[in-house]
Amino acid sequence: MRDFLTLLRVQLLALANSLAPNAQGAPRAARMRRIALAAVLAFLLATMFAVYAALAAIGLAEAGLADAIPALAVLIGSLAGVAFTFMKARGTLFGARDHDLVMALPIPRRTVVLARMAALFGSAIVIALLLMLPPYVVFFAYVGPAPATVAFAVLSVPLAPLAPTALATFAAFGVTALATRFRRANLAYAALGMLLMMGVIAASYGFSFSAGVDEQATMAATASMAAALRDMVETAWPPAVWASNAVVDGSAAGFALLALSELGVTAVCVEIMQRCYLGL
């Protein structure tokens, strides 16, 4: 456990430094200022998306679809760290300058992989917290809180991004395996990451451009679109259904399915990657 915590600390510092890269050998104060500035900018960006998520939840509630808010929150939490993870996974898992040194240490390979992935999971959970909290606050403001549903909502926040982050990391792992056989791999990887991020942003803003001039017609169109979106989300991503059952109805079985699916997918991805890790 001590080895894991030490590696995790190193990985978190490296991840934070990668968000605000600085010239090697720069003074510590300069590095800290750059990291602080990057943190402020990231917080402002997350706040903007959080406000948008809250407004989308209010729109659903006003359209009489408050029960769809938990599924929306889980979808947002699931997608929150996917683009970030896909862009940072390659450098976090394989691009560290001390990669060869760390792998030569008498530490189990599984511990090294878990420590490096834990930094990505932690980042995704923080992003999910910032984006899922506003919709849940709106939901409970409209339907009223209950001890079981509030507990399930709180526990769903760290669970929601686990499987998507693991799958995004696994996808980055596969792309890295293919990229080792091609030239211009870094450019292709960066392009894929940017396309993924643009797709997430375009999808999130697509809903907001559906408003018309007639308020009543807009509300009807919004309700229809929201209902169709809810059905599509619940069909495409079953954990959203299970989370919705847990948060809306207080279903322990729904929460159990959510937890088992998120943790199970994560465990499988981690195990496959740690077994194949030295092959790259």
Side-chain angles (χ1 to χ4, degrees):
M1 184 55 123
R2 183 178 180 181
D3 293 335
F4 172 79
L5 293 177
T6 301
L7 289 173
L8 178 59
R9 177 179 178 274
V10 172
Q11 202 61 53
L12 288 173
L13 290 174
L15 182 61
N17 187 64
S18 71
L19 299 177
N22 202 352
Q24 189 173 5
R28 177 182 176 84
R31 295 198 303 269
M32 294 305 296
R33 283 196 299 269
R34 291 178 69 88
I35 292 176
L37 178 60
V40 171
L41 292 176
F43 178 78
L44 292 176
L45 182 63
T47 300
M48 181 185 70
F49 279 102
V51 170
Y52 177 80
L55 293 176
I58 292 173
L60 288 174
E62 291 295 330
L65 293 169
D67 289 352
I69 294 177
L72 171 68
V74 171
L75 176 65
I76 294 173
S78 298
L79 296 177
V82 169
F84 176 84
T85 299
F86 189 80
M87 295 186 67
K88 304 302 294 185
R90 189 180 182 192
T92 301
L93 290 176
F94 314 108
R97 295 180 180 178
D98 60 350
H99 178 78
D100 294 335
L101 176 62
V102 171
M103 296 310 299
L105 294 174
I107 300 175
R109 184 173 64 247
R110 182 179 283 104
T111 301
V112 175
V113 175
L114 282 174
R116 293 186 170 182
M117 291 191 66
L120 297 174
F121 286 126
S123 301
I125 289 172
V126 170
I127 297 172
L129 175 63
L130 292 173
L131 297 183
M132 292 178 68
L133 183 60
Y136 275 148
V137 170
V138 172
F139 172 74
F140 288 116
Y142 274 86
V143 305
T149 56
V150 171
F152 289 146
V154 171
L155 293 174
S156 70
V157 173
L159 287 174
L162 290 184
T165 300
L167 292 172
T169 308
F170 190 72
F173 181 85
V175 171
T176 301
L178 293 175
T180 56
R181 299 170 173 82
F182 298 98
R183 298 178 61 186
R184 308 291 183 183
N186 292 335
L187 180 60
Y189 189 89
L192 286 174
M194 290 301 297
L195 287 174
L196 178 60
M197 180 175 291
M198 290 172 61
V200 172
I201 294 175
S204 64
Y205 277 101
F207 182 78
S208 62
F209 291 118
S210 62
V213 178
D214 188 349
E215 182 177 353
Q216 185 175 2
T218 298
M219 289 297 295
T222 300
S224 177
M225 180 181 296
L229 179 63
R230 178 192 58 190
D231 295 339
M232 182 178 66
V233 169
E234 293 180 349
T235 300
W237 189 242
V241 180
W242 302 327
S244 181
N245 292 338
V247 177
V248 175
D249 303 323
S251 171
F255 179 78
L257 288 172
L258 172 67
L260 289 174
S261 64
E262 297 286 346
L263 295 174
V265 170
T266 301
V268 170
C269 290
V270 170
E271 184 62 23
I272 293 175
M273 282 187 285
Q274 73 88 16
R275 287 178 180 270
C276 303
Y277 194 66
L278 295 182
L280 296 180

